[in-house]
Amino acid sequence: MYEHFFQCPYCWEDISMLMDPSVSEQTYVEDCEVCCNPIEVVSSFLNNELISFEARELGQ
């Protein structure tokens, strides 16, 4: 597993997520561990290294 730290797009708190680098492209929704708002996570891995990451609001 790969742990990535970033800021929540809602509350701006630093949080982390565990991602599976064996899946080259991922898009999923996970709630912020601080404010509980849903975050759309889009990431890409190449050779088990994170090459792109985006965390976006889902507009409620």
Side-chain angles (χ1 to χ4, degrees):
M1 295 302 281
Y2 181 90
E3 185 174 22
H4 183 67
F5 293 86
F6 63 98
Q7 284 187 320
C8 171
Y10 297 96
C11 68
W12 301 105
E13 290 291 327
D14 289 329
I15 58 175
S16 69
M17 288 188 178
L18 291 175
M19 297 180 286
D20 182 358
S22 69
V23 180
S24 61
E25 294 186 14
Q26 303 174 47
T27 300
Y28 60 96
V29 175
E30 189 165 320
D31 291 342
C32 172
E33 59 193 40
V34 177
C35 70
C36 300
N37 282 302
I39 302 168
E40 182 178 41
V41 175
V42 180
S43 61
S44 297
F45 285 88
L46 181 62
N47 298 324
N48 289 328
E49 297 216 16
L50 185 65
I51 58 171
S52 70
F53 180 87
E54 187 175 357
R56 328 184 245 229
E57 293 183 21
L58 275 181
Q60 297 185 39

